[in-house]
Amino acid sequence: MKRQSLFKIHRWIGLAAALWLFLLGITGIFLDHDEWRWLRQTEVPESWLSSSMMRYLPATVMRFVAVDKNDSDNWLGGSERGLWSTKDRGKNWEKLGFPNGQHPQVTRFAKMNVNSQQVIIMATDDGLWIMNGFGSEIERLALKGRFINMVSQGSESDEIIGVLNFERIFRMNINQPSDIEFIDLDETTITGLPENVTMYKFLFDLHFGYGIFSRQFSTWINDFGGIALMILSMTGFLSWYYQRKWRRNKDKAPPKERRIFLSKSFYRMHAPIIGILGIIPILYLSVTGILFNHILTFINWGEKIDIDRSNLPYVWRYESLKGEIDQVVTYPQNPKKMSISTRYGVLHTKDGGKNWAKDPMTGSERGQLFRTDDHIFYSNNLRQFFTKKDGDDKWRNMSGIPTIVYDAEFFDQGLMIKNSRGFFLEKENYDFEMDEMKHPELKAATLYLFMIEIHTGNAIHPQFKWISDIFTVMGIIMVITGPILWWRRKW
C-alpha cells in the first residue's frame, strides 16, 4: 500500500476515535491509582452510576468494624471514605473526624486489649492512628505521610504488625512508636507455588498494572500507556486541525517558518517519541480492554488456558515479595510465625520471613486475610470463606456469606461478619445469616466508581461496549500503521 493511502487510513480512523481514546487514557490513569484519596472521597450523585455499578457502592461506605466490648450497641466503622460511630447498633451513624480536620483513607483496624484497655489502631494512607480506649480521641501514632495498607495485632499484647505500601512488613510496640522494626525480605525462598497460571489471571493483572514488574513499576508502565493515548489523540487532532485551518485561511496563517516548526513539533511528539515508545503498553491495554468489555466470555475462555509460570514476566516468579504483600498476620508469643496474603493466596513462614510455603487449602487468588481476637479469617473471589482458631492446623469453612469478608468481631451476641453486602451474624458452627444492623446510608457515590463507568462506557449506555470495541480496534490499527509511516519518514 502506498504511503499516502496508509496515511489517510491512519489519519481518518484517528480522528474518529480520538475523543474516546483520550477518555480511555485519562480514566485508565485514574483507575490505576486507587490510593489517590481525592478519587475515593470526592462524592458524586448516586444517579450517575448504572445499576450494575451500584452493587459496589456499599463496600466503599464501610469495610472495617470494631465493637465496644463493654457495650455491644457501640460500633466503629471505617473505609477509604472515612470513619463513623454508632451508639444504637447501626440505627444512626455519626461521622468522626481526625485531628486538625484531616481525612485519611482508613485501610484496616487492629483491635487490641492492652492492660485491660480496648485499643484500636487505624492504618491509613497517612500513617498509623490510635484510639486509646473505645470512643476516645483519635491521635497520630507513627509513620506520618506513609501509605499503610495493613495493620494487625502482633504476637505480644502491646505490639502491632503491618505492611508499608504492599512492600515492607514492620513490627512496632505501640508504647514506643518511634522504634519500628522492618523485617528483612531481601532473600526469601518460596515453595509450593503453582507451576501454571491461567490466561485470565495473567491478563487481568496485566491490564490492572500488576503483571510485569513490581506493583509500582507495572503501574508506571500502564500510566505511560494512558498518557501516550492522550498525547497521540491530542497531537494527531491538533496537527490535522491547524493544517486544515491554515489551508482555509492562508491570509491569516502564520509565517512559513512558524508553520513548519509547529508541524514538525506535532509530528515528532506524535510519531517518533510517544508513538514508538507507547506501542507495547497501548497494544496490551487495548487487547485486554476489549476482553474485559465481555468479561463473562473472557473468564470462561481464559480460565481454561494455563501458562507456565516460568514463561511469565519477572513478577510472577516470586523472586521477591516486594509489592506483593496485601495483608499480614502473626501469632501469639511466636513472632517468627507469620502469614501473608498475595496474588498466589496465603503464604506461611515459621522462621521470620526467610522461608515461605503456600497454604495448600487456599486457592491461588488475592483475598482478605486478617486477625480478630484468637481467630484468623481468610476469603477470596473463589468463594472460599475460611477461619482458623489459634492452635488449630486446619481451616474451617464458613457458610451463608455471599461475598469476600473484610472484618469480623466477637461480642456478646456471637460472631459478626462484615462484607460488602452488610453485617452477617453467626447462627451456629460458622454458619451465618444477614443481620438487621445497617451501615451508614450515604446518599452519594464516589468519583472513583464514576471513573469506572466512563472507562467502561456504562456512563453512556450498557451496550456501548460494542462501540468501545470498534474504537479500540481503530486504536490498534493506528498503533500498527503508525510505526510503518514513521519508518518511511523517520524524524
Side-chain angles (χ1 to χ4, degrees), residues 113-149:
N113 189 325
V114 182
N115 299 324
S116 300
Q117 179 92 327
Q118 190 173 355
V119 175
I120 300 171
I121 309 297
M122 302 171 195
T124 75
D125 63 348
D126 184 19
L128 295 169
W129 302 75
I130 184 171
M131 182 178 282
N132 212 338
F134 196 97
S136 65
E137 294 293 321
I138 301 171
E139 300 175 7
R140 186 179 288 280
L141 181 62
L143 294 169
K144 179 180 179 181
R146 309 300 296 273
F147 188 96
I148 312 299
N149 57 285

Side-chain angles (χ1 to χ4, degrees), residues 120 128 138 158 175 178 278 295 297 301 303 325 329 332 410 449:
I120 300 171
L128 295 169
I138 301 171
D158 55 358
N175 299 312
S178 61
I295 185 66
T297 303
W301 167 76
E303 288 286 4
I325 310 168
V329 295
F410 291 93
L449 291 181

Side-chain angles (χ1 to χ4, degrees), residues 250-404:
K250 293 181 180 180
D251 295 340
K252 297 180 180 180
K256 183 178 180 180
E257 294 77 10
R258 174 74 172 165
R259 280 181 281 146
I260 292 174
F261 172 78
L262 289 173
S263 295
K264 285 186 175 181
S265 297
F266 286 138
Y267 171 76
R268 288 174 178 172
M269 183 177 292
H270 183 86
I273 299 178
I274 299 298
I276 299 302
L277 295 176
I279 290 174
I280 292 177
I282 290 175
L283 276 177
Y284 75 68
L285 288 171
S286 298
V287 172
T288 54
I290 292 173
L291 294 173
F292 278 107
N293 280 344
H294 310 277
I295 185 66
L296 296 180
T297 303
F298 176 33
I299 292 174
N300 291 333
W301 167 76
E303 288 286 4
K304 296 176 183 177
I305 301 174
D306 288 332
I307 308 173
D308 192 322
R309 185 166 60 87
S310 63
N311 294 329
L312 290 176
Y314 162 82
V315 72
W316 294 90
R317 301 168 196 171
Y318 264 37
E319 296 170 7
S320 169
L321 289 174
K322 186 177 181 180
E324 294 294 310
I325 310 168
D326 293 330
Q327 294 97 32
V328 62
V329 295
T330 188
Y331 297 83
Q333 309 301 316
N334 192 354
K336 290 185 176 295
K337 184 179 180 182
M338 295 176 286
S339 301
I340 58 175
S341 177
T342 73
R343 76 174 71 210
Y344 287 118
V346 177
L347 309 181
H348 304 290
T349 182
K350 296 180 180 179
D351 57 10
K354 294 180 180 179
N355 295 282
W356 297 85
K358 184 185 179 304
D359 189 293
M361 193 169 178
T362 62
S364 299
E365 184 81 12
R366 293 188 187 277
Q368 291 290 320
L369 176 72
F370 62 91
R371 167 180 286 280
T372 295
D373 295 344
D374 60 349
H375 279 62
I376 302 293
F377 295 85
Y378 177 73
S379 60
N380 58 28
N381 282 324
L382 299 177
R383 301 190 65 79
Q384 293 181 321
F385 305 102
F386 295 141
T387 187
K388 180 165 57 175
K389 190 175 182 179
D390 290 336
D392 292 345
D393 292 328
K394 294 183 178 180
W395 295 99
R396 296 191 60 177
N397 285 295
M398 298 187 293
S399 58
I401 306 170
T403 59
I404 282 181

Side-chain angles (χ1 to χ4, degrees), residues 3 8 39 46 92 139 217 228 234 281 309 330 347 357 393 400 439 458 461:
R3 186 183 188 282
K8 287 182 178 180
L39 278 171
E46 282 188 9
N92 298 281
E139 300 175 7
F217 285 114
M234 287 190 298
R309 185 166 60 87
T330 188
L347 309 181
D393 292 328
H439 55 60
N458 276 338
H461 190 277

